[in-house]
Amino acid sequence: MARTTLTRTVLAAVSAAALFALGACSSDAGTQTGGGGETNAADDGVITLGFSQVGAESGWRAANTKSIQDTLTAENGFDLKFSDAQQKQENQIQAIRSYIAQQVDVIAFSPVVETGWDAVLQEAKDAGIPVILTDRAVDSSDETLYESFIGSDFVLEGEMAGQWAAEQYDGEGYQAVELQGTTGAAPAIDRKDGFESAIAGSDIEIIDSQTGNFTRAEGKTVMEGFLNAHDDIDLVFAHNDDMGLGAIEAIEAAGMTPGEDIKIITIDAVKDGMQALADGKINYIVECNPLLGPDLADITKKVLAGEEVEKRIVVKDEAFDQAAAKEALPTREY
Ligand code: AHR
């Protein structure tokens, strides 16, 4: 009897301790399932968010990181845990597992590639930690693995670039080369698809297409290869500004004038790209807005408060020619 009472007392104490521990990790804002149970939002009201960034491959990425770090601050009620995956999926998976082990309140990440996420996202769901995707999508048939995806419409960006190209090149045969983003990444897949569909039926033919991994250095190297392999390139479609800027260096080194001898279309509209457009070295840029921090903060708070959030939040982008770039540059944020 005494032993039973003691056992009960010990069990009660253990349960109380476990509940206290859970309570210390549960949300003041109420319950939020994240598809797999209650979340761990802290009693002190501070939201611990683990963010796994793709890397530091481009001007766009630097602006995106700044937006997240400037918004998810202690003043705004966040404890941001940030990690840079150096463009490697295995690093992102490791970071996400570490955030799960730390019982953060929310995990957010920009997936370096589209596929291969189901297992780790299921682990987050099982741990009751909601996941928010920013910038890039995952290719998964199970949409319950994440709460929301905030980012641009990459297919539309490719289409906008292709429409401009098709309007410029009308009447004769024109040869284009394509500098693709990181192989398997959503923006590389979608921008390629969008561009190809917009130029279908036009006089433009894509004669070569390779990845430059979204970096300026690789954009330059791949463009050097294109220039060695092909005599008559009319147009470069680069999936981002940085690769376009690398292509400019290669074209100039080959003794040609970028923007005139070879026209260049890019995507992003970061300051360096916009300056090259204003200078006439790039001919057209479709924007991809990197300032996702405020939307991420807003959606995170809603998710933890148990509010319904949109599964897909599309960030609107515009496009710039030389005159528009000159006008926008003095007040450009990124
Ligand atoms: O996912 C967005 C893309 O990633 C940007 O266009 C590119 O610059 C970045 O590296």
Side-chain angles (χ1 to χ4, degrees):
M1 188 72 182
R3 191 188 155 127
T4 308
T5 306
L6 179 65
T7 306
R8 281 197 189 127
T9 308
V10 168
L11 279 176
V14 168
S15 305
L19 279 174
F20 178 79
L22 273 176
C25 295
S26 73
S27 174
D28 279 334
T31 59
Q32 159 57 43
T33 63
E38 293 187 9
T39 62
N40 309 309
D43 269 341
D44 56 7
V46 174
I47 297 167
T48 303
L49 185 144
F51 189 90
S52 171
Q53 180 60 288
V54 169
E57 73 282 5
S58 62
W60 189 98
R61 190 62 57 194
N64 179 246
T65 292
K66 185 173 184 313
S67 171
I68 287 159
Q69 291 178 334
D70 285 355
T71 314
L72 305 184
T73 59
E75 279 165 8
N76 288 333
F78 287 90
D79 173 13
L80 174 64
K81 295 183 185 301
F82 184 92
S83 61
D84 175 337
Q86 298 180 336
Q87 287 191 284
K88 290 196 175 75
Q89 182 175 35
E90 61 266 32
N91 291 347
Q92 285 201 299
I93 290 174
Q94 205 177 13
I96 292 168
R97 291 210 165 112
S98 149
Y99 294 145
I100 294 170
Q102 292 171 60
Q103 295 188 300
V104 299
D105 301 317
V106 172
I107 292 170
F109 77 115
S110 172
V112 62
V113 290
E114 267 191 343
T115 55
W117 299 104
D118 283 26
V120 73
L121 292 181
Q122 186 64 50
E123 289 168 33
K125 182 175 170 178
D126 292 344
I129 301 174
V131 171
I132 298 170
L133 304 176
T134 68
D135 165 37
R136 298 181 181 179
V138 296
D139 184 0
S140 170
S141 54
D142 185 356
E143 286 203 343
T144 69
L145 294 177
Y146 61 91
E147 301 297 317
S148 186
F149 164 38
I150 308 160
S152 295
D153 180 340
F154 297 138
V155 176
L156 182 62
E157 289 172 351
E159 281 170 1
M160 287 160 79
Q163 276 157 15
W164 183 85
E167 280 162 22
Q168 303 307 304
Y169 296 100
D170 192 18
E172 296 171 39
Y174 292 96
Q175 307 208 106
V177 292
E178 181 180 31
L179 288 166
Q180 294 181 42
T182 304
T183 304
I189 296 165
D190 292 352
R191 288 171 184 167
K192 181 172 184 50
D193 285 353
F195 188 81
E196 282 174 357
S197 73
I199 63 163
S202 77
D203 297 311
I204 302 168
E205 183 197 355
I206 299 175
I207 57 166
D208 216 334
S209 177
Q210 285 178 41
T211 180
N213 209 18
F214 282 127
T215 70
R216 199 177 292 206
E218 286 175 77
K220 182 181 178 194
T221 306
V222 175
M223 189 66 207
E224 284 166 353
F226 288 158
L227 289 166
N228 285 333
H230 308 286
D231 285 336
D232 195 9
I233 298 169
D234 299 299
L235 174 70
V236 175
F237 169 45
H239 287 192
N240 79 342
D241 286 353
D242 280 80
M243 292 189 294
L245 292 163
I248 289 173
E249 290 177 26
I251 292 166
E252 285 176 338
M256 287 181 274
T257 307
E260 288 179 22
D261 297 328
I262 298 179
K263 291 200 181 341
I264 302 176
I265 309 171
T266 65
I267 294 176
D268 275 355
V270 295
K271 266 186 192 159
D272 285 357
M274 293 285 270
Q275 188 58 59
L277 177 56
D279 294 343
K281 296 183 177 191
I282 290 178
N283 303 84
Y284 196 66
I285 302 184
V286 178
E287 183 182 42
C288 181
N289 191 332
L291 306 180
L292 306 182
D295 275 344
L296 175 58
D298 183 45
I299 294 301
T300 297
K301 285 178 180 172
K302 286 184 174 154
V303 163
L304 291 177
E307 289 177 32
E308 282 272 313
V309 295
E310 287 172 69
K311 203 79 193 177
R312 175 74 170 106
I313 295 162
V314 182
V315 177
K316 289 224 163 59
D317 298 312
E318 33 180 327
F320 298 87
D321 60 13
Q322 189 181 37
K326 281 183 178 165
E327 200 182 318
L329 258 174
T331 55
R332 195 80 183 148
E333 255 188 88
Y334 53 89

